[in-house]
Amino acid sequence: MIIESLRSLYTRDLTKLKAEIESYQNESSIWKTDKNITNSAGNLCLHLIGNLNTYFGAELGKTGYIRNRELEFSLKDIPRAELIEKVVATQNMVDDVLSQLIPEDLEKEYPIVVFEDTMTTGYFLIHLITHLDYHLGQINYHRRLLDI
């Protein structure tokens, strides 16, 4: 049951990420920053894509993805269509990985230590959805404040 709930939540929230990026009226606003808004929506989107492709794709799905976290925050002006394509690909990858898990997998130790100590895979997948939602909220505010 928890795996199906995770699939539903990740699908919902990655669909919302795609919708947020699509909702910018001015495509260049995706990359705007302001005095107290240091990360653009585009960079937050790239960060989420990199994060999920690393921890779902590379670690659980063995996709071979190699992360360059620095580029997630330094790349600029990637076309909206390319961002959306990356979000959709990430959504498909996450769903594919989740569809291959069984409940016992969630009780196993996550393959790498990400924080200070080990954790179960289930705990980390819940953490990753909260991370996605945190930045999704930032992107929503970014759009409403800077898409002018």
Side-chain angles (χ1 to χ4, degrees):
M1 173 169 158
I2 188 76
I3 293 172
E4 286 307 311
S5 295
L6 287 169
R7 287 179 77 184
S8 175
L9 291 168
Y10 276 100
T11 296
R12 179 196 71 188
D13 296 343
L14 286 165
T15 298
K16 182 62 178 165
L17 175 59
K18 177 179 173 271
E20 283 293 336
I21 299 301
E22 289 173 335
S23 294
Y24 278 82
Q25 293 181 33
N26 183 346
E27 186 170 344
S28 67
S29 295
I30 294 170
W31 300 98
K32 278 187 184 177
T33 57
D34 198 22
K35 55 186 168 251
N36 292 323
I37 302 173
T38 57
N39 289 317
S40 71
N43 289 116
L44 290 171
C45 183
L46 290 173
H47 172 60
L48 290 169
I49 290 164
N51 184 271
L52 293 172
N53 275 285
T54 298
Y55 297 123
F56 266 92
E59 291 303 322
L60 296 177
K62 304 300 181 207
T63 61
Y65 179 84
I66 298 173
R67 186 177 194 183
N68 187 335
R69 191 173 188 280
E70 183 179 303
L71 288 179
E72 295 167 15
F73 293 97
S74 63
L75 289 174
K76 304 291 181 213
D77 301 322
I78 294 171
R80 178 195 334 242
E82 187 176 333
L83 284 176
I84 291 168
E85 191 176 287
K86 289 176 183 292
V87 171
V88 170
T90 300
Q91 183 175 357
N92 291 336
M93 176 277 302
V94 166
D95 194 62
D96 286 346
V97 170
L98 285 171
S99 72
Q100 295 172 31
L101 296 180
I102 59 173
E104 292 77 17
D105 291 330
L106 300 180
E107 299 304 318
K108 293 178 184 173
E109 188 176 294
Y110 187 74
I112 60 172
V113 176
V114 179
F115 305 121
E116 296 173 6
D117 203 358
T118 61
M119 66 192 130
T120 65
T121 297
Y123 177 91
F124 192 50
L125 297 184
I126 292 168
H127 164 79
L128 290 174
I129 193 101
T130 63
H131 177 261
L132 167 61
D133 289 340
Y134 175 77
H135 289 309
L136 181 56
Q138 289 179 314
I139 291 168
N140 175 268
Y141 266 89
H142 180 278
R143 180 181 54 77
R144 291 188 286 143
L145 289 169
L146 298 181
D147 187 26
I148 46 178

